Amino acid sequence: MKKVKLNLNKKISLSYDICIGYNVIDQVGLIIAENHKASHYVLITDSNVSRLYGGVVLGIFQNLGLNTTLIEFQAGETSKNIQTVLSVVGQMLKLGVDRDAILIALGGGVAGDLVGFIASVYMRSVPYIQIPTTLMAQVDSSIGGKTAVDLPDGKNLLGAFHQPKAVFVDLKFLETLPNTEFNNGLAEIIKYGIIDNLKFFETLEQKADAIKKQDRDVLSAVVEHSCRFKKKIVEIDEKDRGIRRILNFGHTVGHAVEAASGYTISHGNAVAIGMAAAVRMSGKLCGFSIGERERIWRLIDVFGLPRYLSLTIRTDEIVERLKMDKKKEGDKINFVLLKRIGMPFVNSEVPEAIIRETIEEIKR
Ligand code: NAD
Ligand code: GLY
């Protein structure tokens, strides 16, 4: 397995490895048994992942003699809420799970965010490990310690920073991922291409076919690059006070779209729509070139992601959601805009008229 170390300099105890490999889940069990000792391992996963991998992973842990219990919740973003937290925590209490336990998030970003959040508050916090099984989670949500659940008012409004003890990325999991879910992960990879540098963006353009066909070497290199980029940003700004905000490119409008759709639009699709909107705003406000705009739109199209929003979603609803976004400061909503590909910056002065005009333009 390739090892990418995420160093949180002032807090060595919070540093951890992101291990990336293919068909490595047996090895993952061994590493956990050796390096992350606990009296109880609580494997928490969603209903789909449980059906596909719950028994296998539980078996690996139990065969290693580890005291392991599997807890399952209903798959989907609509489970990323406080009711699911209470249900999982209730089961953990019945099992007698104490602070010597380690929680293991097996699944996509929903499982990762939810389990991370439970770990941050359960008995004033317990350690957890991420085993991401979607592309979205492997390149983004499992890294960096942002944990949260959604509230009726909006996405991720209840959460904490709580770093995992380790992240294990096994690309084999992706083989059972539906195409639409794979594409969702591609949205975050396009995001990295846009905010990192033109070279990575060009790689995505050139290798688009191989990526879509899940060519193992190409995909593995793209996943590793994405993990390295994200970990570099988290190392500089763990708590999202500065540069980490560029990782929210496409997410300001994206989160509003996701919530306004009642989570019928997936996170990745919403981010793609949000990136298309951010590119339009960048053209209006900071001279972002038409040429680069067209390249970004083409890549979003090639990766099978949407750029437009249904006319049935009201502009007012999106604007209201934006005003509730946790990325806002006072009355100011933070948007990540672009001067060029590879040159993102945070703009908190986007006039409401431009926001409304842009949302109207992305509706069809
Ligand atoms: P998800 O966890 O809902 O997974 C998508 C679907 O794929 C689910 O139905 C799941 O059951 C299924 N699935 C998972 N692994 C599978 C596999 N290997 N084979 C077949 N099916 C599988 O959604 P997601 O797209 O992984 O994550 C989205 C969530 O992540 C959102 O809540 C978003 O807010 C969050 N997120 C968090 C961060 C962060 O930094 N914490 C970053 C990005 C996204
Ligand atoms: N996904 C955005 C972040 O981790 O900061």
Side-chain angles (χ1 to χ4, degrees):
M1 270 191 279
K2 288 243 172 88
K3 238 188 225 178
V4 175
K5 181 107 189 151
L6 193 154
N7 280 307
L8 290 166
N9 274 340
K10 290 188 199 104
K11 306 175 202 158
I12 299 299
S13 64
L14 293 187
S15 300
Y16 53 95
D17 289 331
I18 303 157
C19 302
I20 306 166
Y22 174 82
N23 202 11
V24 288
I25 193 68
D26 287 296
Q27 223 178 311
V28 168
L30 277 168
I31 296 173
I32 291 176
E34 224 171 275
N35 299 334
H36 302 282
K37 302 222 185 294
S39 61
H40 199 154
Y41 296 86
V42 188
L43 196 55
I44 305 172
T45 191
D46 77 26
S47 47
N48 296 334
V49 180
S50 179
R51 185 171 34 80
L52 290 163
Y53 302 108
V56 178
V57 179
L58 182 67
I60 290 171
F61 277 66
Q62 288 179 335
N63 287 339
L64 287 163
L66 306 178
N67 174 24
T68 313
T69 310
L70 181 80
I71 295 181
E72 162 183 330
F73 63 89
Q74 187 58 43
E77 181 73 29
T78 47
S79 288
K80 204 177 107 174
N81 58 32
I82 200 68
Q83 283 75 30
T84 313
V85 170
L86 294 176
S87 156
V88 171
V89 162
Q91 293 174 68
M92 287 178 12
L93 288 170
K94 271 199 191 126
L95 288 163
V97 174
D98 61 21
R99 295 174 87 180
D100 285 333
I102 293 183
L103 311 190
I104 298 174
L106 175 72
V110 168
D113 282 13
L114 183 84
V115 175
F117 178 66
I118 293 172
S120 75
V121 287
Y122 188 73
M123 296 192 174
R124 300 209 173 94
S125 109
V126 290
Y128 75 112
I129 287 171
Q130 292 269 16
I131 307 184
T133 62
T134 62
L135 185 60
M136 164 77 65
Q138 295 191 343
V139 297
D140 191 351
S141 61
S142 64
I143 302 163
K146 273 191 183 175
T147 79
V149 292
D150 304 330
L151 292 181
D153 306 289
K155 282 271 302 174
N156 297 335
L157 289 179
L158 204 58
F161 288 93
H162 186 44
Q163 298 295 338
K165 290 290 168 205
V167 179
F168 296 100
V169 174
D170 187 342
L171 294 167
K172 185 148 175 68
F173 285 123
L174 302 182
E175 289 174 2
T176 54
L177 200 59
N179 272 339
T180 48
E181 296 302 343
F182 185 79
N183 294 352
N184 275 324
L186 291 177
E188 302 287 2
I189 292 176
I190 296 177
K191 174 189 83 178
Y192 293 138
I194 295 170
I195 61 177
D196 182 3
N197 59 48
L198 193 56
K199 189 160 168 263
F200 186 50
F201 187 83
E202 281 170 354
T203 304
L204 298 179
E205 288 180 320
Q206 286 155 10
K207 307 266 166 127
D209 276 345
I211 294 169
K212 282 197 296 182
K213 285 187 193 132
Q214 300 196 30
D215 175 285
R216 201 184 297 163
D217 292 339
V218 173
L219 187 60
S220 166
V222 165
V223 168
E224 186 184 335
H225 182 97
S226 302
C227 291
R228 284 190 190 281
F229 177 68
K230 176 148 187 188
K231 81 105 195 178
K232 193 171 70 183
I233 301 289
V234 173
E235 282 175 345
I236 300 169
D237 175 26
E238 183 197 355
K239 295 280 168 72
D240 211 9
R241 297 281 172 208
I243 192 173
R244 184 165 179 173
R245 291 179 183 186
I246 64 168
L247 295 177
N248 287 324
F249 179 70
H251 284 58
T252 308
V253 169
H255 280 164
V257 163
E258 219 183 326
S261 77
Y263 302 106
T264 54
I265 299 180
S266 67
H267 180 72
N269 277 231
V271 167
I273 294 167
M275 291 194 292
V279 163
R280 284 180 189 269
M281 281 184 198
S282 303
K284 293 176 199 294
L285 294 169
C286 28
F288 186 67
S289 80
I290 293 174
E292 291 201 339
R293 181 189 77 186
E294 297 298 321
R295 285 174 75 177
I296 291 173
W297 285 356
R298 203 173 313 125
L299 196 57
I300 293 175
D301 294 346
V302 165
F303 280 165
L305 289 157
R307 286 192 279 121
Y308 291 96
L309 192 57
S310 156
L311 283 170
T312 55
I313 297 186
R314 290 179 310 109
T315 301
D316 279 345
E317 166 94 26
I318 302 281
V319 173
E320 282 314 305
R321 296 279 177 183
L322 285 171
K323 289 180 179 168
M324 276 188 264
D325 193 285
K326 66 182 171 354
K327 291 183 283 299
K328 77 177 176 40
E329 285 161 310
D331 286 341
K332 296 184 192 293
I333 305 168
N334 288 328
F335 288 90
V336 182
L337 301 184
L338 298 166
K339 290 185 181 140
R340 290 205 302 268
I341 288 178
M343 282 188 73
F345 68 102
V346 177
N347 185 332
S348 51
E349 304 287 345
V350 179
E352 184 163 331
I354 297 282
I355 298 173
R356 286 183 177 274
E357 182 183 274
T358 305
I359 293 165
E360 286 297 323
E361 286 169 6
I362 59 163
K363 289 207 308 192
R364 249 202 191 159

